[in-house]
Amino acid sequence: MKAVVHLALVAGTLLAAWPASAMNVGPYRGGPNTSRAAERILAAHNRERARMGAAPLAWDERLAASAAAYGPMLEQMGALRHSPRTMRPGQSENLWMGSRGYYSPEQMVGTWLAERTHMRPGIFPAVSRTGRWEDIGHYTQVVWPTTTHVGCAVYSAAANDFLVCRYSPKGNVDGYRFR
């Protein structure tokens, strides 16, 4: 059975529209409070942004819906491949994949945050200690200072969970100076 996790912000309250089995991860085992998953994903982003001096992100339902629509395509491809930019004008995208039901929302986002260890001051894209901006691209998008909105969805396939986050305005723009 496949399940789509669709996170929503309605009247200032985060809601989620997916079956409880879709987020059978971490402390959610046995009866998840799915609106809590959305709060935790957003909080993980905003804790790191605060650490970097960036303003908090606001949840965007349209971005979440756009992210949710891409999950089935990732399953079909069987790999992480970014959606065509024409499918997400003005948006950036972070993707994550892991064994179904094994990872908490913080662990999913945490893989992107772990890229921070490769970050160095400089002008994007030359901000990676490894010399490859791809090694820090998820992290820089999370903390990109001109990005103001995020929407995410988790798609649960037979073997894997996919987290898709969409950001607006898009980040990872060449020429920006990171301190």
Side-chain angles (χ1 to χ4, degrees), residues 12-70:
T13 304
L14 285 169
L15 305 173
W18 70 81
S21 61
M23 278 301 291
N24 189 20
V25 294
Y28 294 114
R29 293 191 199 285
N33 174 355
T34 54
S35 65
R36 184 77 176 115
E39 293 170 359
R40 289 170 64 176
I41 288 170
L42 183 61
H45 278 77
N46 285 334
R47 273 191 302 275
E48 187 62 21
R49 290 177 65 84
R51 196 183 79 69
M52 291 296 291
L57 295 173
W59 193 262
D60 186 305
E61 176 57 27
R62 288 174 295 197
L63 293 173
S66 176
Y70 192 56

Side-chain angles (χ1 to χ4, degrees), residues 7 37-59 92-96 105-106 108-113 116 138-144 147-153 163-168:
L7 310 174
E39 293 170 359
R40 289 170 64 176
I41 288 170
L42 183 61
H45 278 77
N46 285 334
R47 273 191 302 275
E48 187 62 21
R49 290 177 65 84
R51 196 183 79 69
M52 291 296 291
L57 295 173
W59 193 262
S92 291
E93 176 180 77
N94 274 353
L95 304 175
W96 175 92
E106 291 86 359
M108 293 175 184
V109 175
T111 60
W112 301 332
L113 302 183
R116 173 181 62 228
H138 302 99
Y139 178 75
T140 54
Q141 177 53 75
V142 168
V143 300
W144 200 264
T147 296
T148 58
H149 291 80
V150 66
C152 303
L163 172 62
V164 180
C165 287
R166 299 275 173 92
Y167 303 85
S168 180

Side-chain angles (χ1 to χ4, degrees), residues 38-177:
E39 293 170 359
R40 289 170 64 176
I41 288 170
L42 183 61
H45 278 77
N46 285 334
R47 273 191 302 275
E48 187 62 21
R49 290 177 65 84
R51 196 183 79 69
M52 291 296 291
L57 295 173
W59 193 262
D60 186 305
E61 176 57 27
R62 288 174 295 197
L63 293 173
S66 176
Y70 192 56
M73 293 179 212
L74 289 172
E75 179 190 19
Q76 204 169 35
M77 289 184 280
L80 291 182
R81 289 192 194 109
H82 285 288
S83 61
R85 289 187 176 134
T86 56
M87 285 181 59
R88 50 183 169 90
Q91 302 173 12
S92 291
E93 176 180 77
N94 274 353
L95 304 175
W96 175 92
M97 179 177 73
S99 297
R100 181 184 174 136
Y102 189 77
Y103 296 91
S104 71
E106 291 86 359
Q107 289 170 316
M108 293 175 184
V109 175
T111 60
W112 301 332
L113 302 183
E115 295 174 358
R116 173 181 62 228
T117 62
H118 300 300
M119 183 87 171
R120 67 174 179 84
I123 297 175
F124 191 86
V127 292
S128 173
R129 295 182 199 287
T130 68
R132 293 174 28 93
W133 78 267
E134 296 90 344
D135 294 337
I136 49 90
H138 302 99
Y139 178 75
T140 54
Q141 177 53 75
V142 168
V143 300
W144 200 264
T146 59
T147 296
T148 58
H149 291 80
V150 66
C152 303
V154 175
Y155 179 80
S156 290
N160 294 304
D161 287 329
F162 297 90
L163 172 62
V164 180
C165 287
R166 299 275 173 92
Y167 303 85
S168 180
K170 68 180 182 172
N172 291 346
V173 178
D174 289 355
Y176 179 81
R177 176 174 293 281

